[in-house]
Amino acid sequence: MFNNWLRNNKVAMWLLTVVRIYLGYTWIKGGIEKLTGGFDAGGFLQGAIAKASGDHPAVQGWWATFLEHGALPGVKLFNVVIPLGETLVGLGLILGTFTTFAALMGMVMNFAFLFSGTVSTNAQMVVLEIFIVVAAANAGRIGLDHWVMPYVRSLFHKKDQDHAPAPAPKGGMTKTKGAA
């Protein structure tokens, strides 16, 4: 019932638009600050790895292992991907373009930050992003998705029609004389 309301109701559409723009502003603000402020994820990653030890670690060992052996050696890539990702998620949410995908990618980043021991606003943002993902198209109806998604769907349907199986012969299958 609640899913149906989120996906189809006009009041929900307007509320989701407000939530979407708020989240988009939060993401784009953080992304642009990182893009223009000389962002370096190295210190954050080292701090998260350090939070994996002690009596009550805030970071799980498996995640700290990934950070230490995957993310930290590739910190130059993360220095580009994180600010760019935050900016693109923010832009997608504000404009309402590929809204569900933008919210899903925002959730991935929020969970990565949460796994790294940083609560901040990440938990609140995940909850709001879940509403957007569950609402699907209704969350982007007041936005560019209103025009973009039908166009994207038409591209896929056009391709499907080009490779559609040949229609069945008229008359269908008929029983011939002498058949069992």
Side-chain angles (χ1 to χ4, degrees):
M1 187 166 129
F2 186 66
N3 273 357
N4 187 44
W5 184 81
L6 276 176
R7 289 175 179 233
N8 300 309
N9 190 282
K10 288 187 181 203
V11 172
M13 176 182 67
W14 284 99
L15 290 172
L16 289 163
T17 301
V18 171
V19 168
R20 193 189 80 218
I21 291 170
Y22 162 74
L23 283 170
Y25 172 76
T26 304
W27 277 115
I28 203 165
K29 181 178 172 237
I32 289 174
E33 285 174 1
K34 287 178 179 77
L35 283 172
T36 60
F39 174 71
D40 182 16
F44 175 80
L45 294 173
Q46 290 171 347
I49 293 166
K51 292 178 187 175
S53 59
D55 291 337
H56 304 287
V59 176
Q60 295 292 310
W62 65 271
W63 185 255
T65 301
F66 162 71
L67 294 177
E68 185 175 5
H69 300 291
L72 200 53
V75 72
K76 288 183 181 182
L77 176 66
F78 282 90
N79 288 343
V80 174
V81 170
I82 290 172
L84 191 61
E86 287 183 4
T87 303
L88 290 174
V89 165
L91 198 59
L93 290 172
I94 289 170
L95 297 176
T97 309
F98 301 110
T99 304
T100 305
F101 182 71
L104 186 62
M105 292 300 100
M107 283 174 59
V108 168
M109 286 190 286
N110 284 131
F111 277 123
F113 300 148
L114 285 166
F115 286 158
S116 299
T118 304
V119 177
S120 183
T121 60
N122 292 303
Q124 158 195 317
M125 290 174 75
V126 165
V127 171
L128 295 175
E129 288 157 350
I130 287 171
F131 285 116
I132 291 173
V133 169
V134 169
N138 204 28
R141 204 156 274 147
I142 301 173
L144 294 180
D145 275 350
H146 180 75
W147 294 281
V148 171
M149 294 313 290
Y151 174 74
V152 170
R153 283 189 197 101
S154 75
L155 293 176
F156 286 105
H157 290 299
K158 188 182 295 183
K159 186 183 275 187
D160 289 343
Q161 290 171 357
D162 292 343
H163 294 88
K170 293 197 182 217
M173 295 182 66
T174 59
K175 202 173 195 182
T176 59
K177 235 181 181 179

